[in-house]
Amino acid sequence: MLAENCYIVSDETKECMIVDCGAYGPAEQQAISKYITDNELKPVLYVLTHGHFDHILGSKWLCETYNLQAVICERDAELYKTFRTDCQAFGFTVDYDLPAIGRCLNDGNEVSFGSHTFKAINTPGHTKGGMCYYCADENVMFSGDTLFRNSIGRTDFPGGSMFQIIQSLRMLMQLPDETEVYPGHGPKTSIGYEGASNPYLDR
């Protein structure tokens, strides 16, 4: 309903990392399961870019189906735990709590699956614990709601800060221009493109 992006990231080992499962209903859940089955993948890692409800709606289903535990920034752990309250505030009714967090990350920590490692970059501004996941070997980053194509994440929710998100974005702009960016909403982009055309950014 909110057009949130869920990513399934795999490599030659067939292991995969899942990013931000917002699958709200059976149709979305079945689409994810079908992709995993059709490609003979083994989910071994589930990471969250932040704790907003639209990015974690499918966490209970995903964790129970594939025996996973969510990985999230320590600063957003409380936001994850108030999931049901946040849903109600936006008019969504859910009758379940989310499973316990498996691991809390801080800036600079790493997560791995298969033959790939991603560095967690804390990018506060949209939430206190916004995380981007960056793989230098592949020049790819999952940016959550920090950076979008031609835009940035909202800062008017509790825990948001325009000052902090601008600082976070300036840090991300130090990555190579060819870095492909996969955001939490909307189409993919790149660091070079955003540095040249995003009205919120300067170099």
Side-chain angles (χ1 to χ4, degrees), residues 58-69 96-99:
S59 294
K60 182 177 187 295
W61 165 79
L62 187 77
C63 291
E64 291 179 352
T65 301
Y66 296 104
N67 192 29
L68 299 173
Q69 290 184 307
Y96 56 88
D97 292 313
L98 298 182

Side-chain angles (χ1 to χ4, degrees), residues 45-113:
L45 181 64
Y46 176 41
V47 300
L48 299 172
T49 60
H50 63 294
H52 279 159
F53 78 97
D54 55 325
H55 289 253
I56 60 178
L57 275 166
S59 294
K60 182 177 187 295
W61 165 79
L62 187 77
C63 291
E64 291 179 352
T65 301
Y66 296 104
N67 192 29
L68 299 173
Q69 290 184 307
V71 177
I72 191 171
C73 179
E74 185 174 28
R75 295 181 179 181
D76 264 14
E78 193 59 36
L79 193 56
Y80 178 93
K81 295 173 184 176
T82 59
F83 162 73
R84 291 182 70 171
T85 302
D86 295 339
C87 285
Q88 291 170 1
F90 282 85
F92 289 82
T93 301
V94 296
D95 59 359
Y96 56 88
D97 292 313
L98 298 182
I101 295 169
R103 179 186 173 193
C104 286
L105 299 176
N106 289 299
D107 184 63
N109 290 161
E110 294 181 338
V111 294
S112 299
F113 73 93

Side-chain angles (χ1 to χ4, degrees), residues 7 9 17 19 49 118 131-134 140-144 182:
Y7 297 100
V9 193
M17 171 179 78
V19 183
T49 60
F118 282 75
M131 277 292 193
C132 293
Y133 295 93
Y134 172 63
V140 64
M141 181 177 71
F142 296 91
S143 64
Y182 292 86

Side-chain angles (χ1 to χ4, degrees), residues 14 18 28 50 88 97 101 122 127 140 152 165 184 186:
K14 294 293 187 175
I18 299 172
E28 295 173 339
H50 63 294
Q88 291 170 1
D97 292 313
I101 295 169
N122 186 211
T127 66
V140 64
I152 63 174
I165 204 169

Side-chain angles (χ1 to χ4, degrees), residues 172-185:
L172 294 181
M173 287 301 105
Q174 304 308 307
L175 296 174
D177 282 355
E178 60 269 24
T179 303
E180 290 188 327
V181 179
Y182 292 86
H185 303 271

